[in-house]
Amino acid sequence: MRTPPSNPEEANVLVPSAVHMHGYVDCHCHISSGDFDKDIEEVIESSKKAGLLALLAVAEHAGEFDKIIELSRRFPGFIFPCLGVHPVQEVSPEQQRGASVQDLEAALPIIEKYKDQLVAIGEVGLDFTPRYVHCDADKDSQRQVLIRQAQIAKELDLPLNVHSRSAGRPTIHLLKEQGVEKALLHAFDGKPSVAMEGVKAGYFFSIPPSIIRSEQQKLVKQLPLENICLETDSPALGPEKQVRNEPKNICISAEYISKIKGVSLQTVMEVTTQNALRLFPKLKSAIRP
């Protein structure tokens, strides 16, 4: 993982900075998931051994906000909190629905309470998967929740950590309409041409380990490395279906990007980590070159 670049030209460019920047940033991870309750210490330790410098813990609903803040205090300078309302909310393990303004209202006081500790607002976005959206009113409800959270992010000068399943174009268009300048689109499932609209707007796209078995490999080919970040979305989107994903698998994303782009793993590490620092400047307190 830490071998020097094989291409001599690349080596000339990279070695000076490579000495200073050794490691990855997981820009989108559900470390507060119950899947990690029993072995969180081991999961964090193994992710550090795999080269992880920091991870962004994203929320889905107000009920886990306190847990995410607690984890960020338990692992200071490694777990960084992002609070937000996901476009899909769970009613029960068997039933899910689109987010409502009421879901956001429950979350707002807690976001206000912890606002100074946040590195981003997220996970927010749109999800137009048919089983969650039954009519235009459902889509509009999700849009209202996203618009309000985009406003909060601007007020707090924070980036957005964005979900956009089956809604790539509507999500990017809404972000642009709202004047959002700093956004990470995680596990983007839209067309590469739509993603390029996001690139023009200055947005970043994070690639999970599931890329090795995904239809989105064309996306990695087209996206400029300067707009790519790494994520695991743990415990979901791992290299194997139905197997718990962990932050340590971040290197699988990096290795795949390295292969597709024809650049060294060191280059991918260096550029994606610098991208993460540009998008999430509060990470600089923990990751100093």
Side-chain angles (χ1 to χ4, degrees):
M1 187 179 68
R2 298 192 174 186
T3 50
S6 54
N7 180 331
E9 288 180 28
E10 232 183 353
N12 291 337
V13 173
L14 284 169
V15 166
S17 54
V19 172
H20 302 298
M21 192 62 73
H22 247 317
Y24 303 110
V25 177
D26 185 345
C27 291
H28 186 103
C29 174
H30 297 271
I31 200 69
S32 59
S33 165
D35 296 52
F36 297 119
D37 285 351
K38 290 181 180 172
D39 62 345
I40 184 74
E41 297 277 353
E42 291 87 345
V43 168
I44 296 300
E45 194 54 40
S46 62
S47 68
K48 288 179 178 178
K49 284 179 182 168
L52 203 63
L53 299 172
L55 65 82
L56 274 67
V58 294
E60 295 189 341
H61 55 84
E64 62 183 327
F65 286 6
D66 287 327
K67 185 176 182 181
I68 286 173
I69 296 295
E70 185 187 314
L71 284 167
S72 72
R73 289 171 178 168
R74 188 171 161 191
F75 301 97
F78 187 76
I79 292 180
F80 291 85
C82 310
L83 302 184
V85 174
H86 191 284
V88 176
Q89 296 291 302
E90 191 172 275
V91 179
S92 69
E94 297 80 34
Q95 189 186 357
Q96 295 174 307
R97 58 166 175 76
S100 69
V101 174
Q102 287 77 16
D103 297 317
L104 180 58
E105 284 171 354
L108 290 177
I110 316 175
I111 291 175
E112 175 65 26
K113 179 182 174 184
Y114 294 124
K115 63 184 180 184
D116 295 335
Q117 297 169 52
L118 304 183
V119 295
I121 297 296
E123 176 175 0
V124 304
L126 300 176
D127 193 317
F128 292 168
T129 308
R131 66 180 179 275
Y132 308 131
V133 172
H134 304 293
C135 59
D136 285 344
D138 291 345
K139 290 183 180 180
D140 193 52
S141 179
Q142 285 190 28
R143 283 194 187 96
Q144 294 310 314
V145 172
L146 176 54
I147 287 168
R148 181 69 188 103
Q149 292 186 101
Q151 290 168 345
I152 291 165
K154 283 199 286 185
E155 287 161 16
L156 298 177
D157 193 24
L158 290 173
L160 287 173
N161 209 316
V162 183
H163 172 105
S164 56
R165 187 166 47 193
S166 301
R169 181 172 271 117
T171 303
I172 287 175
H173 285 183
L174 187 148
L175 295 177
K176 286 164 68 177
E177 281 166 14
Q178 293 301 312
V180 172
E181 294 178 359
K182 297 179 290 185
L184 177 81
L185 287 121
H186 107 93
F188 191 76
D189 69 355
K191 292 178 181 174
S193 59
V194 176
M196 295 311 287
E197 291 181 40
V199 167
K200 283 179 190 165
Y203 302 154
F204 292 83
F205 293 78
S206 54
I207 309 299
S210 58
I211 191 68
I212 63 171
R213 57 179 174 83
S214 153
E215 294 172 11
Q216 285 306 88
Q217 296 173 1
K218 288 178 185 171
L219 180 68
V220 174
K221 286 180 184 171
Q222 288 206 25
L223 284 172
L225 191 54
E226 290 69 30
N227 292 80
I228 293 179
C229 290
L230 305 178
E231 68 158 296
T232 61
D233 199 34
S234 304
L237 300 190
E240 296 176 77
K241 273 188 177 180
Q242 310 303 322
V243 177
R244 182 184 78 167
N245 190 19
E246 292 185 26
K248 69 179 181 185
N249 290 328
I250 198 81
C251 50
I252 293 171
S253 298
E255 284 159 5
Y256 182 85
I257 294 164
S258 162
K259 188 174 93 177
I260 291 296
K261 292 291 191 192
V263 298
S264 72
L265 187 58
Q266 178 64 49
T267 302
V268 174
M269 176 191 284
E270 183 81 14
V271 176
T272 57
T273 297
Q274 293 292 358
N275 291 345
L277 290 170
R278 278 166 55 208
L279 181 57
F280 305 108
K282 287 190 177 183
L283 295 178
K284 288 173 184 169
S285 62
I287 305 172
R288 294 188 179 91

